[in-house]
Structures are given as C-alpha cells and as structure tokens.
Amino acid sequence: MTATATPSHSALSELAEASFAALDVREHIQPWHFGPVGAGLGSIPVRTPITGELIGSLGADHFGALVDYGAAIEAAHRVFPQWRDVPAPARGHVVRRLGELLKEHKDALGRLVTLEAGKIAAEALGEVQEMIDVCEFAVGLSRQLYGKTIASERPGHALRESWHPLGVVGVISAFNFPVAVWAWNTALALVCGDTVVWKPSELTPLTAVACHGLLRKALADTGHDPEAHQLILGKREAGEALVDDPRVALVSATGSTRMGREVGPRVAARFGRSLLELGGNNAVIVAPSADLDLALRGIVFAAAGTAGQRCTTLRRLIVHESVVDELLPRLVAAYQGLRVGNPLEEGVLVGPLIHQGAYEGMAAALEQAQAEGGKVLVGGERVGEGDSYYVSPAVVRMPAQTGVVANETFAPILYVLAYADLDEAIALNNAVPQGLSSAIFTNDVREAERFVSAAGSDCGIANVNIGTSGAEIGGAFGGEKETGGGRESGSDSWKAYMRRSTATVNYSTELPLAQGVSFG
Ligand code: UN1
C-alpha cells in the first residue's frame, strides 16, 4: 500500500468554489448561498475528508431558513395538489431535464462528491451516472404507472386498481451516496406525482445544495413550480421534523440500523409509511469451482472500494477450505498494491474515511476481532496524520463468525472464514442480523441456482460471479431483516411512492351485492 501526499487546503476550497460555480445554479438555490470560509455567509460548515478541513460555508438569506423545517414541509404540502394534477408523462419531462443537466454537469458534480464524501473520481462519476440512469428509468416509468383491471363477479360492473400520488415524500440520505440515493427517491417520487423534502447528511450539505439547485432549475425550465422540491439542512432535528410530521406521507430513510430503529416505529406511530434502507453485512462465498481471477477482482472492488463505506460493501468472505490457501496470498498481494490517498489523484483506489469517528470505529473493531481470535493478514493501519483519516484496507482471518463479524463497521475490514460444504456456507451467509447483499463465485450451476433460490441467500440482493456492491438501478434495491425491508430504485419500487385505489364501477341498472348477499 502506498500513500500519496495530501493537497493544500486552499487548493481544495478553490476547487469546491469552481466546481460549484460551474453548475450555474446560484439563482435556483435561494435562500442558500455558498462561499468561502470566513466570508460571513453563514453557519453550515462544508468540510472535506481529504484534509479534514473547512472548504467553505453555506448560509441562508434569513436565519429562519436554517431552522424552519415546518415551513419547507408546508410548502411541499401546499404545492402537492397542483403537482399531482400534472399528467404523469409531463411530470416525466422535469426528470428528463434533470437528467440532461446532470449529463452536462457530470464532472463538476462528481468533483463535489469527491470533495465532500472523499470518493475517488471514477466512483464519484459512477455515482452521478447512477443518477442519470435513474432519471432515464423514471422518464420511461412516467408512461407506465400501470394499474390492473380485474374481472368483477357482478354483471355490469367494472373493477380496477389505480395508482395515485401519495403526497409529500421525505428523503433522508447518508453521506456515502450523497447524491445517487436522493436521485433514486426523488426521480421516482416526482414522476409518481409526489413533492419532496430532502434532509441530506449533515456531512454532505454542498452536494445537496447543488442537486437541489439542478432540480429546481429543471422544474423552472419545464414551467413548473420549483417549490415542489424542498431542502432542509440540519442535524437530527431536521430528520425528526420529517419523521414526526403527519403531512409527510412517506419517509424514505437510508442510514444505519440504529437510525432505522428510531425512524420506523415513530413514523408508524402516526400511521405514516416508511421505506428503510439500513445496514448491510454482506458476504461472498468462494466455491471450489470458482474462477479465482474473477473472484479476486470482484472481492477487492467490493471490499476495499469506496474505502469500505457502502451499504453494499463486502464485509465477510466465506471461502471453501480447498481454495482458501490459494486465494488468501493473492488477496493479500492485491491489497498491498492498493494505492491509498488523495481521491482526486489518478491511480488512487482508496480515499479517506469520512471522519475520525469512522477511524475509531475501525480501530475498535480490529481490536475486538483480534481479541476474538482473529489474525490481521494485511492492512488496518492509519496512513498519514492530521485531521484526515486514511487507512489501509484490512483482511482479517477469523476462526469463526464471532461477535464482531456480526456488526456492520463502516470501514474497509474484510473478515475471512473457511467452510466445508455449501449448506454451511449459506448458513453462515444468513446468520447475521442484516440482509442486504450477497454473492457466490462458482462455476457449478447447481450451486449458483441453489444460492439464489428461496433456500439460499436470505438477502435482498443475491449475485453470482460478481461482487456484492455496484448494483444497477434497474433492479429493486434493498434488503431484509435489519436492513429494513424497503425497496428503492428500479423494478416496481415505484409502488412505494403511490397509493393504491380500488374502484368498482356499476354501469348496470341493477344493484347486485357481492358474495351473493341479498338484503331486504
Ligand atoms: C448505498 O451504499 O447506500 O449497489 C447505496 C451499490 C450502489 C448503491 C449503494 N449502486 O453499491
């Protein structure tokens, strides 16, 4: 593992300002402003994990805008009836325009993602591409919000289901996918006829303001009220405003299981809906017949990519005992070749952890793993010093699936376990509280099909011969158990953003009752 030099602070603030200016959204972000630190603009700090320093600040025209979350929800609620009545294909035009703006500004927005979340450029651009993809999906969807017609048991009656807009959708998103997860929710919610209030992670407010500006520009360009999208910046209180407000019909929240444990019951207590995408503890099984070259590449991207900070990150490697001794030295060598450092620099594959807390979480997990009999084969060290937290991704051989292995530590630690037969491997895959993503590397069709069958992986995502991360937007995304059960993005996930209405229309002159009931 090699480290690269960290850039100077002022260079990064200049880059942030230039990238933000290139988006050309200044007039669409009121009441927000972005400017250099110390320009007296406001109170929301913009930091970069690249150096850990402030690279600017966000402020508002009036203090109220910073704290009046209720006013933002009220505005989204007020605009909803008018947005609901726009025909769905015309709502799709707004999302198409958003997709165009994202294509035009892909580089600048990607750079902001790198600056605020610390992702390497290739992954940041991939994240913006994921937004563009979901916009394209949503535009098509805007002409395919299909209901069902059902054969009525009564003569002269028509029975059908329609899908109607739900209302205000609250989106709570996490730092690690600061823009794509918002786009999944917002592109779908908009074509479904909902208005949106977004509470981004407090760690990534600048990318949020940038996306807010791009969407409001898309709304204005297509002749619609920009108030259909609202942004609330803040910490826990901002999320709580969405969770507790009965005007918010659906709360779609991405984050830790701990967060979801609070959000789910609170939203349910007011009979609101929630869509939860929470922690993952994803495993790859490497079977005796696996193509080890393929497996190695898949494993390294899934485990060390994004510095281990994806909900889909590979955290557990379950290797057949006949190949473990061949695979592990190759894995260790691949890890030794990973370049850790400034994510803006070409050739770097692993950027920084988001903050000190993430580093401390990783150090504590490694300590616990060793106390539970684990052996660190490579990595796990802090690279560099100061206010930024770079680490070398770690591989830890574990004697068994012990306590620490059952936890999601949001950092690049890969625990390795050996197995003797497939039943055991599948049992290990399923024996954690989380259920997001999983994969098997095998060239045996029986094993592959078994893994993706009902008796196989219990996760929302079960892959064959690819890693656990990097899902396409076309499938439904989400997981079971402590991952929260929600499904976002492709397939028929849109149904979560609409309400279903069943209509029975009697076009006869009689009034037959269902179930043959005669009354009087
Ligand atoms: C997340 O980490 O919250 O499948 C989302 C993936 C990405 C999305 C990750 N498409 O890794």
Side-chain angles (χ1 to χ4, degrees):
M1 264 154 294
T2 51
T4 62
T6 40
S8 78
H9 162 224
S10 61
L12 294 181
S13 12
E14 273 164 31
L15 190 60
E17 273 167 56
S19 306
F20 191 78
L23 297 175
D24 195 22
V25 289
R26 222 165 277 262
E27 61 175 299
H28 299 284
I29 60 170
Q30 284 100 1
W32 308 104
H33 298 286
F34 172 61
V37 188
L41 277 173
S43 47
I44 297 181
V46 178
R47 274 179 203 284
T48 179
I50 297 175
T51 54
E53 289 176 83
L54 280 173
I55 50 168
S57 71
L58 284 159
D61 284 338
H62 46 97
F63 180 68
L66 293 170
V67 289
D68 198 348
Y69 309 128
I73 296 171
E74 179 52 34
H77 189 246
R78 192 177 59 243
V79 176
F80 169 64
Q82 150 196 342
W83 181 243
R84 176 193 65 200
D85 292 346
V86 174
R91 299 194 296 250
H93 296 167
V94 174
V95 174
R96 180 192 296 140
R97 181 73 191 124
L98 175 63
E100 285 167 4
L101 290 171
L102 290 168
K103 274 182 212 161
E104 198 180 316
H105 299 296
K106 188 171 176 181
D107 288 341
L109 187 58
R111 234 168 0 253
L112 290 179
V113 170
T114 295
L115 285 167
E116 256 194 332
K119 282 188 192 192
I120 61 169
E123 289 196 52
L125 290 173
E127 177 162 3
V128 181
Q129 186 58 46
E130 190 159 348
M131 304 171 81
I132 296 167
D133 293 346
V134 84
C135 285
E136 287 178 357
F137 176 85
V139 173
L141 179 67
S142 71
R143 290 185 183 268
Q144 300 176 79
L145 300 170
Y146 299 138
K148 277 188 175 138
T149 58
I150 298 146
S152 170
E153 67 189 50
R154 287 170 280 185
H157 284 56
L159 180 53
R160 64 173 174 263
E161 285 180 355
S162 306
W163 292 90
H164 298 314
L166 194 59
V168 177
V169 172
V171 177
I172 298 175
S173 59
F175 80 87
N176 67 326
F177 270 80
V179 294
V181 171
W182 165 77
W184 293 353
N185 282 282
T186 302
L188 261 62
L190 287 175
V191 299
C192 289
D194 304 320
T195 55
V196 173
V197 183
W198 181 21
K199 188 254 174 241
S201 163
E202 67 262 31
L203 301 170
T204 52
L206 182 59
T207 49
V209 170
C211 293
H212 176 65
L214 290 170
L215 175 53
R216 283 196 159 202
K217 181 166 163 45
L219 282 157
D221 286 355
T222 47
H224 297 289
D225 191 343
E227 298 293 317
H229 189 261
Q230 302 287 328
L231 176 68
I232 55 178
L233 295 180
K235 296 190 177 163
R236 189 187 164 89
E237 335 70 65
E240 284 178 343
L242 291 175
V243 165
D244 293 332
D245 196 313
R247 291 170 297 188
V248 180
L250 168 70
V251 177
S252 176
T254 302
S256 65
T257 294
R258 192 161 51 90
M259 179 272 287
R261 236 187 260 289
E262 288 188 51
V263 169
R266 271 170 76 162
V267 175
R270 61 169 176 86
F271 296 100
R273 290 196 202 170
S274 56
L275 195 172
L276 301 176
E277 205 254 279
L278 311 173
N281 191 351
N282 317 298
V284 156
I285 296 171
V286 182
S289 66
D291 176 336
L292 290 187
D293 294 337
L294 208 68
L296 194 63
R297 278 161 48 206
I299 291 164
V300 176
F301 173 67
T306 331
Q309 300 172 110
R310 287 195 193 213
C311 57
T312 50
T313 289
L314 170 60
R315 308 200 181 280
R316 296 177 296 137
L317 186 62
I318 304 168
V319 191
H320 191 266
E321 56 193 16
S322 66
V323 286
V324 73
D325 291 337
E326 187 185 345
L327 182 68
L328 286 188
R330 293 182 64 187
L331 186 61
V332 167
Y335 265 56
Q336 279 163 343
L338 288 171
R339 223 167 119 204
V340 180
N342 174 8
L344 289 163
E345 226 170 79
E346 192 130 355
V348 166
L349 291 175
V350 181
L353 292 178
I354 191 70
H355 51 34
Q356 184 178 1
Y359 168 69
E360 287 168 357
M362 178 170 178
L366 286 172
E367 205 168 295
Q368 191 184 337
Q370 290 173 92
E372 290 174 4
K375 185 168 178 295
V376 179
L377 303 182
V378 65
E381 274 133 28
R382 188 167 170 200
V383 177
E385 48 189 29
D387 295 331
S388 55
Y389 293 87
Y390 293 82
V391 290
S392 51
V395 177
V396 187
R397 179 87 191 249
M398 296 300 293
Q401 195 152 268
T402 60
V404 73
V405 185
N407 300 334
E408 180 193 44
T409 300
F410 223 57
I413 304 177
L414 179 61
Y415 300 113
V416 183
L417 302 156
Y419 78 92
D421 70 70
L422 189 62
D423 284 342
E424 184 194 354
I426 291 175
L428 283 169
N429 178 75
N430 295 349
V432 290
Q434 310 83 352
L436 179 56
S437 188
S438 59
I440 188 168
F441 281 85
T442 179
N443 280 337
D444 179 332
V445 72
R446 288 185 182 146
E447 287 189 336
E449 289 291 345
R450 168 84 205 289
F451 183 72
V452 301
S453 77
S457 166
D458 65 358
C459 295
I461 298 171
N463 295 332
V464 176
N465 291 336
I466 64 164
T468 51
S469 65
E472 302 175 16
I473 60 95
F477 183 93
E480 306 300 336
K481 303 190 292 187
E482 288 191 2
T483 303
R487 291 296 186 278
E488 296 173 299
S489 190
S491 185
D492 65 352
S493 308
W494 59 271
K495 290 179 177 171
Y497 302 80
M498 302 199 86
R499 64 181 177 88
R500 186 194 318 232
S501 152
T502 304
T504 308
V505 178
N506 176 7
Y507 57 92
S508 77
T509 54
E510 304 297 321
L511 194 67
L513 299 178
Q515 295 87 42
V517 171
S518 88
F519 190 75

